Amino acid sequence: MNIKRAKQEIKNCIEAYLLKNERGEYVLPAVRQRPLFLIGPPGIGKTQIMEQVARECQVGLVSYTITHHTRQSAIGLPFIEKKQYGGREYAVTEYTMSEIVASIYNQIEETGLKEGILFIDEINCVSETLAPTMLQFLQCKTFGNHRIPEGFIIVTAGNPPEYNKSVREFDIATLDRIRRIEVEADFEVWKEYAADMAVHPAVISYLEARKENFYRIESTVSGKQFATPRGWEDLARLMEVYEKLGRKVDREAVVQYIENPGIARDFAAYLELYYKYRTDYQIDVLLSGKVPERVYEKLSRAAFDERLSVVNLILAYLNGRFREAEDRETYLSVLLEELKKFRDGQVPESEQDKGETQKDRENHSQTAGGEKRASELLGFLSEELDRNTGWKKKAGFLDRREEYTLLAVSDRLRFYGSILEKEELTGRNEGFSRVRELFSQERDSYESFCQETLEMLERAFDFLEAAFGDSQEMVIFVTGLTTGKSSVRFLQENECERYYEYNRRLLFENQENSLLEQLDSLSRQFPLQ
């Protein structure tokens, strides 16, 4: 299965394993909660999805690469304990707690999360001395004498033997106690992920035209040569940083990530053309509706790679707008909830208030009615949001975008407070009236941004219709709009009739053509007598 399906399987497993009955007991007891074993080639995202799964399921995550451990760190160090048996004292060997088990308890203490995932990578590459311990771990959910805490699900990963010389085959007794999930590379799934994560459009555009180079591992006389999804994404991130520094990625840099000289050379050559296309076709100008006639003439003579690059440049530009619209909408939603608390007086008691004496409270800045100043209440809301953000970050519940959104809301609450102070609006009611005006201005700005983006999308359809008509390029454009989460969300909230028209017509025609090809193939295989 592909990595997207594997991710969903893990989430389903977590939901099933953590289901409790009316007595608060897990419906599936620990002995029946089989560990998951993801096995597949390197670089396809097996490890990367674990943070996403834990964040989306709101559970803890403790990760280890087992090849970095010795037997002692995995099961603990021995020590002598005196015990009484039958009236006689004996020296008994005990073990300190495993570093891995201790990490689970540490996270529980730090976050308060008593349910989560213990992820062990490269589980089938352990040393000979550690192999029996790993088998015991998979079969009994223990490291040495210490059991994995109830509520933590075991997920493991590894590579098949052809990709790693250190792989140890599991015996039938072990395989009969785990859930084995075979994972393979899938470009279409990765392309969805790449759109959501704003992977550099040059990488997406190149792989769209040369899907065979997305994942390749070859054995040559010079050794292993390979290209993996992990390599492509890491290269894309480097390209983004280099562009901010005013530098370009050359073939020598590419081959450090894409360790296949032929593919690296091909991509480096394409990248030079891509930068040229970006200069020749000013996307912001195209989407302004002022398209020079020479652009249409140039595209009419262009090769498919160039035409595809233009489509992906437009998609990348629009996707940036869609992501910004999504971020701004989320920001406004969170800010609105905080302002409702301000309106209703649902303000948490600050740490300073908890330690105040009666005399301090009497001397504290208050309004004539005995309430705290409106700016101070907004400050308390900001502090509470900061505390919650810090906890969620420590628990792994936030990605960078979500964290930045919460920090932006906290900053805005303090900014509103400073305005109320400056304008000497001390009461909560008058303060809320002013804050509501400020929020409305931000909401209007967001709506204007969405309207501008929708107009750009309409002009993108105008341009693509004039340049390509109902060709394959238009199918790629519409498909690109359909696969990205941010674009789908934008289109759900901002109606674009032409998108739905093309989506129905072009994608239906593709399905119809595919079915006709299949029927034609079947008719050739089984001709009527």
Side-chain angles (χ1 to χ4, degrees), residues 280-451:
D280 291 349
Y281 301 96
Q282 303 280 329
I283 301 303
D284 55 341
V285 174
L286 297 186
L287 298 185
S288 70
K290 302 173 183 177
V291 186
E293 189 61 35
R294 60 176 177 78
V295 171
Y296 295 116
E297 295 174 1
K298 181 176 173 59
L299 278 175
S300 66
R301 300 188 301 270
F304 178 70
D305 280 7
E306 183 172 347
R307 295 155 71 97
L308 181 61
S309 295
V310 172
V311 172
N312 279 299
L313 281 166
I314 294 172
L315 276 172
Y317 190 95
L318 290 172
N319 278 332
R321 302 275 302 193
F322 297 148
R323 280 170 62 87
E324 185 176 347
E326 182 180 22
D327 289 342
R328 291 174 69 166
E329 182 188 19
T330 304
Y331 157 81
L332 288 172
S333 298
V334 176
L335 180 57
L336 180 60
E337 291 304 311
E338 295 299 317
L339 294 181
K340 286 179 181 178
K341 295 177 186 177
F342 173 61
R343 178 197 63 191
D344 299 337
Q346 299 175 13
V347 180
E349 187 180 10
S350 72
E351 295 299 319
Q352 179 185 355
D353 287 339
K354 292 177 183 177
E356 282 184 337
T357 65
Q358 181 63 34
K359 186 175 181 180
D360 290 332
R361 283 192 286 271
E362 290 173 357
N363 293 331
H364 206 280
S365 60
Q366 296 178 331
T367 64
E371 288 186 332
K372 284 184 171 51
R373 298 172 69 88
S375 59
E376 193 171 12
L377 297 179
L378 286 170
F380 291 163
L381 281 173
S382 176
E383 291 170 7
E384 180 69 9
L385 185 59
D386 285 340
R387 282 192 291 271
N388 288 336
T389 301
W391 177 83
K392 288 180 179 180
K393 183 178 180 180
K394 183 180 291 185
F397 289 173
L398 298 176
D399 61 22
R400 184 172 288 185
R401 286 176 70 189
E402 293 166 335
E403 179 190 355
Y404 287 177
T405 295
L406 294 175
L407 293 175
V409 171
S410 179
D411 288 343
R412 185 56 55 175
L413 291 173
R414 285 192 289 270
F415 174 70
Y416 285 173
S418 68
I419 290 179
L420 297 187
E421 277 292 314
K422 183 177 180 181
E423 297 179 2
E424 299 182 350
L425 299 173
T426 56
R428 180 158 52 87
N429 290 335
E430 61 180 353
F432 178 73
S433 295
R434 180 68 176 109
V435 164
R436 184 169 55 186
E437 292 176 6
L438 297 169
F439 178 81
S440 296
Q441 292 172 10
E442 294 201 67
R443 183 75 191 183
D444 291 344
S445 174
Y446 161 73
E447 291 176 354
S448 296
F449 179 84
C450 288
Q451 183 59 37

Side-chain angles (χ1 to χ4, degrees), residues 3 186-199 203-205 207-209 211 214 229 308 312 315 319 472 475-485:
I3 198 68
D186 186 317
F187 173 69
E188 295 304 323
V189 168
W190 182 85
K191 188 170 71 170
E192 289 182 33
Y193 163 82
D196 293 334
M197 299 302 292
V199 170
V203 172
I204 298 175
S205 182
L207 294 175
E208 184 76 59
K211 295 182 176 67
F214 169 62
L308 181 61
N312 279 299
L315 276 172
N319 278 332
Q472 184 67 17
V475 174
I476 292 169
F477 179 70
V478 174
T479 304
L481 293 175
T482 305
T483 55
K485 289 181 182 177

Side-chain angles (χ1 to χ4, degrees), residues 129-343:
T129 57
L130 196 54
T133 300
M134 285 301 99
L135 296 182
Q136 179 195 31
F137 164 67
L138 291 173
Q139 293 175 11
C140 307
K141 301 181 179 66
T142 60
F143 274 113
N145 296 336
H146 303 283
R147 184 170 295 278
I148 302 301
E150 189 180 38
F152 267 74
I153 294 162
I154 298 170
V155 182
T156 66
N159 304 132
E162 60 266 32
Y163 299 105
N164 194 322
K165 293 183 290 186
S166 303
V167 165
R168 305 175 66 86
E169 294 283 356
F170 287 152
D171 57 29
I172 293 177
T174 302
L175 290 172
D176 197 34
R177 288 176 169 86
I178 62 177
R179 295 177 59 176
R180 178 186 171 103
I181 300 176
E182 295 191 9
V183 189
E184 55 191 15
D186 186 317
F187 173 69
E188 295 304 323
V189 168
W190 182 85
K191 188 170 71 170
E192 289 182 33
Y193 163 82
D196 293 334
M197 299 302 292
V199 170
H200 198 291
V203 172
I204 298 175
S205 182
Y206 172 80
L207 294 175
E208 184 76 59
R210 296 169 176 78
K211 295 182 176 67
E212 69 278 5
N213 292 342
F214 169 62
Y215 192 91
R216 189 189 295 185
I217 297 181
E218 302 171 341
S219 296
T220 69
V221 292
S222 303
K224 293 284 187 182
Q225 295 183 355
F226 54 88
T228 69
R230 178 167 54 208
W232 286 114
E233 183 174 1
D234 289 347
L235 174 61
R237 299 305 176 200
L238 179 76
M239 289 164 56
E240 292 169 10
V241 176
Y242 267 36
E243 287 179 7
K244 290 178 181 178
L245 296 172
R247 299 176 183 174
K248 289 187 178 180
V249 172
D250 57 17
R251 189 177 71 84
E252 284 68 26
V254 173
V255 80
Q256 294 164 15
Y257 291 84
I258 309 301
E259 297 200 35
N260 180 304
I263 297 177
R265 186 166 49 250
D266 189 46
F267 178 71
Y270 171 80
L271 193 57
E272 287 295 325
L273 288 174
Y274 175 85
Y275 287 132
K276 181 179 182 299
Y277 300 151
R278 193 167 67 178
T279 301
D280 291 349
Y281 301 96
Q282 303 280 329
I283 301 303
D284 55 341
V285 174
L286 297 186
L287 298 185
S288 70
K290 302 173 183 177
V291 186
E293 189 61 35
R294 60 176 177 78
V295 171
Y296 295 116
E297 295 174 1
K298 181 176 173 59
L299 278 175
S300 66
R301 300 188 301 270
F304 178 70
D305 280 7
E306 183 172 347
R307 295 155 71 97
L308 181 61
S309 295
V310 172
V311 172
N312 279 299
L313 281 166
I314 294 172
L315 276 172
Y317 190 95
L318 290 172
N319 278 332
R321 302 275 302 193
F322 297 148
R323 280 170 62 87
E324 185 176 347
E326 182 180 22
D327 289 342
R328 291 174 69 166
E329 182 188 19
T330 304
Y331 157 81
L332 288 172
S333 298
V334 176
L335 180 57
L336 180 60
E337 291 304 311
E338 295 299 317
L339 294 181
K340 286 179 181 178
K341 295 177 186 177
F342 173 61
R343 178 197 63 191

